[in-house]
Amino acid sequence: MDIFSQQLINGLVLGSIYALIALGYTMVYGILGLINFAHGEITMFGAMVSLAILHALLLHTGLPTAMIFALALLGAIGFCMALGFSIERVAYRPLRNAPRLAPLITAIGMSIVLQNTAMLIWGKKFLSFPDIIPIQRYQIAGANITNLQVAIIVLAIVLMLGLWTLIQRSRLGRAMRATAQSPELAALMGINPNRIISATFMLGAALAAIAGIMVNAYYGPAHYTMGFMLGLKAFTAAVLGGIGNIAGAMLGGLVLGLIESFGAGYISQLSGGFMGSNYQSVFAFTVLIIILVFRPSGLLGERVGERV
Amino acid sequence: MMLRVANLHVGYGSINAVRGIDLQMNQGELVCLIGANGAGKTTTLKALAGMLLPTQGSITLWDQPITTLASHQRVQHGIALAPEGRGIFARLSVRENLLLGAYLRDDHHAVELDLQQMYALFPRLSERTRQIAGTLSGGEQQMLAIARALMSRPSLLLLDEPSMGLAPIMVQKIFTTIRAIAAQGMTILLVEQNAKLALQISQRAYVMENGRITLSGVAAALLANPQVQQAYLGG
């Protein structure tokens, strides 16, 4: 097995997932200047709700597995969009004109509330993804690649291209970019800024739901605390790419996934076996610190790209 | 009567910028609102566009009260504002700015025709459709703001200081275009510091001072009024 090509594919899978979550952070920041720290929990709810639907349907119906999976996916997306919408309405909108610290603290509070809600519903157990995806393995360039990995990367690319097209080409996307630049000016065009803000939260939540399912299907059991670390990593990815910058979030996610993956793959060799792949997260947060110190505007920077 | 403003008061916090003004406009009129810096002209326009909510008084458009409507709802009622200074979406292209002006319209074919009309009205913009609006010159940005406001097919066009910060030749160009737009039947309320130019192209005018309207009447008469000449036309 070739470590390099193996870590490359692992990093791309991880990076795709980070990128999908990071987009939610960056879109909300672009439009409101707010870090939605509850976004990681939306990812967790995506995993949890899809699991609940999967288990219920597998147990009580004889529907084909593919259809059950599709229903779970759509159900989780729908639930998370409603959740994202509600979070903005309940926690952020009343503080729209408050000092910036207030919504930030509320965001952390919201994250705690959501975590504990999930714990009350699903308990503290680790919940595994049911065995419904027949895994196939391929040997390519010395790396072990599964069909699930390929599916995650392809789906993430399709979603990111779709989002990019939506933001650059559609009427909604234009309205989002206009609102990000100036809500007052956007309103003069007949755009209702509140609706655009709601749409932004829902769009980010939909991507987070899909990412949550990917994490659950690929990395392992879902848990009510899983959103915390995922959210933190995706936030790091968004900062790495340049918070507020859409292309930056995509790039930041992929780069962070690759850094973590290569770091974890090679650290054992480099440290003579002293440190293992459990140091993976250290790389992510080292990157965050380096970026914050030396290039706070991120790889692409906020000014270069399109803010939404 | 198309627009009727009665006893309008608007303030920012404890500052009362507009203190009880009355103003009327008929369909197809070009009316200007002139006055010194800080007289409350821009505040009046912002209140008409819904960017500021009045503390007192009423605004009616075609006998419908719109006093409490938010700006995006007023666009539906046919009000469009070309804001002062650089009131454009600087990071979006010229074409995207214009399309945003037509945001509420779903007659795509007609929107496309109107785009072509705007390019005919402002040929400078037609050469720059894909350019990022923030890279346009000041005059071009002003043209874009006016064209974008027209894209909503408003019944009432509000223009805030279209001459601000522009070279005299560009000011001439903009004012010629405003006159042309008015000639096509558009109802326009023009706020201007350049009182002479504004009075020359308007039919009627209001003069504002310290948040109140102190004079009003036919523009030509105000242009000849010694009081106005001394205060606003440089003697």
Side-chain angles (χ1 to χ4, degrees):
Chain A
M1 192 179 80
D2 181 45
I3 293 189
F4 182 83
S5 43
Q6 188 64 53
Q7 294 309 332
L8 182 67
I9 183 84
N10 291 350
L12 286 177
V13 174
L14 186 60
S16 303
I17 294 173
Y18 285 163
L20 289 182
I21 309 174
L23 282 166
Y25 279 104
T26 229
M27 284 195 290
V28 165
Y29 182 86
I31 223 154
L32 284 182
L34 162 83
I35 305 292
N36 175 17
F37 277 115
H39 190 60
E41 273 59 48
I42 296 179
T43 312
M44 176 268 292
F45 265 94
M48 291 296 199
V49 170
S50 72
L51 272 184
I53 297 173
L54 278 176
H55 284 302
L57 294 183
L58 284 171
L59 203 63
H60 301 294
T61 68
L63 292 171
T65 321
M67 184 186 267
I68 290 182
F69 182 71
L71 287 173
L73 186 69
L74 291 177
I77 291 172
F79 180 89
C80 286
M81 286 173 89
L83 185 62
F85 175 85
S86 313
I87 291 172
E88 192 271 325
R89 283 304 278 267
V90 172
Y92 303 141
R93 192 169 297 184
L95 297 172
R96 190 71 60 74
N97 298 314
R100 290 184 81 153
L101 195 56
L104 196 69
I105 294 168
T106 308
I108 295 168
M110 200 68 223
S111 154
I112 296 170
V113 167
L114 290 174
Q115 266 191 40
N116 285 278
T117 309
M119 186 193 74
L120 290 173
I121 300 173
W122 290 289
K124 295 181 176 178
K125 284 195 298 268
F126 287 88
L127 305 167
S128 305
F129 197 79
D131 209 8
I132 55 168
I133 303 174
I135 298 292
Q136 282 166 32
R137 292 176 194 284
Y138 315 101
Q139 287 280 335
I140 296 170
N144 258 318
I145 298 174
T146 67
N147 53 345
L148 183 59
Q149 286 178 317
V150 175
I152 288 176
I153 294 173
V154 170
L155 179 58
I157 290 173
V158 168
L159 287 171
M160 287 192 265
L161 286 177
L163 182 74
W164 187 256
T165 312
L166 176 87
I167 286 171
Q168 294 299 327
R169 298 259 174 274
S170 76
R171 181 169 171 268
L172 173 65
R174 256 198 311 276
M176 286 171 71
R177 286 181 289 144
T179 308
Q181 281 186 37
S182 163
E184 294 82 23
L185 208 51
L188 285 179
M189 306 296 112
I191 296 166
N192 181 349
N194 280 332
R195 276 171 88 164
I196 299 302
I197 289 166
S198 292
T200 306
F201 270 82
M202 290 164 76
L203 213 50
L207 296 176
I210 297 170
I213 297 169
M214 288 175 172
V215 170
N216 190 207
Y218 179 66
Y219 288 103
H223 190 245
Y224 74 96
T225 58
M226 70 187 276
F228 177 73
M229 194 51 108
L230 269 175
L232 219 49
K233 296 280 183 68
F235 169 66
T236 305
V239 173
L240 174 62
I243 186 99
N245 185 315
I246 297 283
M250 300 178 186
L251 178 69
L254 285 175
V255 170
L256 190 72
L258 289 170
I259 289 174
E260 276 200 12
S261 173
F262 280 114
Y266 284 104
I267 191 171
S268 171
Q269 276 181 9
L270 293 176
S271 65
F274 180 66
M275 290 187 273
S277 59
N278 49 349
Y279 277 77
Q280 180 173 337
S281 297
V282 172
F283 293 101
F285 298 124
T286 308
V287 166
L288 178 62
I289 292 166
I290 291 173
I291 282 286
L292 288 177
V293 171
F294 293 106
R295 200 177 160 81
S297 58
L299 290 176
L300 297 187
E302 201 203 311
R303 297 189 157 270
V304 184
E306 205 66 74
R307 226 176 72 148
V308 151
Chain B
M1 196 73 67
M2 179 184 200
L3 176 75
R4 192 191 299 268
V5 176
N7 189 31
L8 189 76
H9 287 72
V10 195
Y12 303 90
S14 59
I15 302 156
N16 294 317
V18 173
R19 312 170 185 193
I21 63 165
D22 296 293
L23 190 150
Q24 292 94 33
M25 285 185 73
N26 295 308
Q27 190 176 15
E29 266 190 318
L30 171 49
V31 175
C32 69
L33 182 59
I34 58 175
N37 218 344
K41 309 184 301 289
T42 291
T43 308
T44 305
L45 271 202
K46 283 187 168 174
L48 289 178
M51 298 174 85
L52 293 168
L53 288 182
T55 46
Q56 220 182 322
S58 68
I59 307 169
T60 32
L61 189 69
W62 296 121
D63 293 325
Q64 274 192 306
I66 58 165
T67 319
T68 56
L69 294 185
S71 0
H72 68 269
Q73 295 166 313
R74 295 198 195 194
V75 181
Q76 288 172 341
H77 281 74
I79 292 184
L81 167 67
E84 79 179 322
R86 294 167 183 244
I88 50 150
F89 296 104
R91 283 191 293 253
L92 271 58
S93 73
V94 168
R95 188 186 149 83
E96 286 177 320
N97 266 277
L98 292 173
L99 287 175
L100 279 164
Y103 180 75
L104 291 178
R105 295 172 56 185
D106 45 19
D107 46 344
H108 300 290
H109 187 65
V111 167
E112 202 53 50
L113 287 178
D114 281 5
L115 267 178
Q116 298 315 318
Q117 250 198 322
M118 291 310 139
Y119 292 147
L121 195 59
F122 300 102
R124 295 283 280 271
L125 296 181
S126 70
E127 300 154 19
R128 294 168 166 72
T129 54
R130 304 249 162 242
Q131 198 170 320
I132 298 302
T135 63
L136 297 178
S137 74
E140 290 161 352
Q141 294 193 8
Q142 188 58 56
M143 292 174 182
L144 180 57
I146 297 173
R148 191 188 55 193
L150 288 171
M151 284 301 290
S152 67
R153 288 207 175 167
S155 48
L156 172 62
L157 177 64
L158 309 173
L159 299 176
D160 197 359
E161 304 269 10
S163 78
M164 193 163 81
L166 300 185
I169 192 154
M170 188 55 85
V171 174
Q172 281 301 339
K173 247 184 192 165
I174 300 262
F175 271 70
T176 308
T177 314
I178 294 173
R179 190 182 258 168
I181 297 165
Q184 289 174 15
M186 179 63 67
T187 315
I188 303 175
L189 179 57
L190 169 67
V191 156
E192 234 336 299
Q193 271 203 65
N194 190 331
K196 192 173 180 183
L197 268 177
L199 288 171
Q200 279 170 350
I201 67 165
S202 302
Q203 284 135 31
R204 286 194 304 119
Y206 291 89
V207 181
M208 250 186 125
E209 228 172 288
N210 289 322
R212 291 193 179 87
I213 285 174
T214 50
L215 272 173
S216 66
V218 176
L222 287 177
L223 204 52
N225 183 325
Q227 218 183 319
V228 175
Q229 283 186 344
Q230 204 195 349
Y232 303 107
L233 306 176

